Amino acid sequence: MLREKQVIEIRILSKKGLTNREIAREMVCHENTVSKYLKEDWKEMKGISKLDPYKEHINKRLEEYPSVKATVLFKEIKAQGYTGGITIVRMYVHSIRPEDEIESIRFETAPGKQFQADWGEGETRIGGKSVVIKFFTMVLGYLTLPQVNRKEMKRRKRD
């Protein structure tokens, strides 16, 4: 039996468009388990969550300001004495927030006509050391799949 947090994560991954097989790999469970929890309503766990005393406040704030971020709600309930983590707050907010009704329009061009590109920077740990990596992303208009390539950045010598 999965925990509520895992079931919510399965539903989030499903809404993102992942197949049951991909979700099962991600969650390290069987594909049939994923299917079961997507079909059935979640049966409440026995016991009390650290978030339970703050759910009423979160619900009230979401009614007043539907676009308020989970991080803002986390800071508010933390000031009221909440001792849990932000992840459960994010999952709870995601589970009760109304879905956006924005319809996306697919945009395609012929091969070789258009692409979108951007440079990015991120930090990771390699060999126990914190390293800044720079990367270049490009999405071709006719593929809609991102292409990510690592680029070595060489420093110029100062004269």
Side-chain angles (χ1 to χ4, degrees):
M1 186 166 148
L2 298 179
R3 295 180 183 215
E4 184 178 16
K5 182 177 176 180
Q6 294 168 308
V7 175
I8 292 170
E9 185 67 25
I10 286 172
R11 290 186 177 159
I12 290 169
L13 293 172
S14 176
K15 286 181 181 179
K16 287 184 178 178
L18 273 69
T19 64
N20 288 3
R21 180 173 287 161
E22 292 168 328
I23 296 170
R25 264 190 240 126
E26 178 83 20
M27 299 299 296
V28 191
C29 64
H30 196 275
E31 194 174 335
N32 291 347
T33 304
V34 172
S35 178
K36 170 185 160 185
Y37 282 106
L38 287 174
K39 288 178 187 171
E40 295 178 7
D41 286 337
W42 172 249
K43 296 172 185 88
E44 286 296 323
M45 290 175 41
K46 295 175 186 167
I48 298 171
S49 166
K50 289 182 181 180
L51 188 61
D52 285 348
Y54 305 97
K55 285 182 178 179
E56 187 178 326
H57 173 77
I58 293 171
N59 293 340
K60 191 186 309 179
R61 292 284 285 139
L62 285 171
E63 284 177 18
E64 293 174 26
Y65 305 101
S67 62
V68 69
K69 303 286 184 201
T71 50
V72 172
L73 294 168
F74 174 72
K75 288 176 185 176
E76 289 177 3
I77 62 175
K78 191 85 168 168
Q80 296 174 11
Y82 174 67
T83 58
I86 191 168
T87 305
I88 194 72
V89 175
R90 283 187 178 136
M91 289 191 307
Y92 178 70
V93 168
H94 180 63
S95 72
I96 63 169
R97 187 185 305 254
E99 293 285 326
D100 288 338
E101 305 261 341
I102 299 172
E103 185 178 321
S104 61
I105 300 170
R106 188 155 173 86
F107 178 77
E108 292 184 20
T109 61
K113 293 290 182 186
Q114 181 193 18
F115 68 89
Q116 296 176 350
D118 198 9
W119 282 98
E121 185 175 291
E123 191 172 331
T124 188
R125 297 189 68 77
I126 299 176
K129 293 183 179 179
S130 182
V131 180
V132 174
I133 57 169
K134 298 183 188 280
F135 54 90
F136 172 79
T137 62
M138 182 183 341
V139 179
L140 303 173
Y142 68 97
L143 281 181
T144 66
L145 296 173
Q147 306 295 319
V148 179
N149 298 309
R150 181 180 57 85
K151 178 69 178 159
E152 294 286 332
M153 301 299 286
K154 301 193 178 194
R155 293 181 182 227
R156 296 182 189 177
K157 293 183 181 177
R158 290 187 177 177
D159 296 326

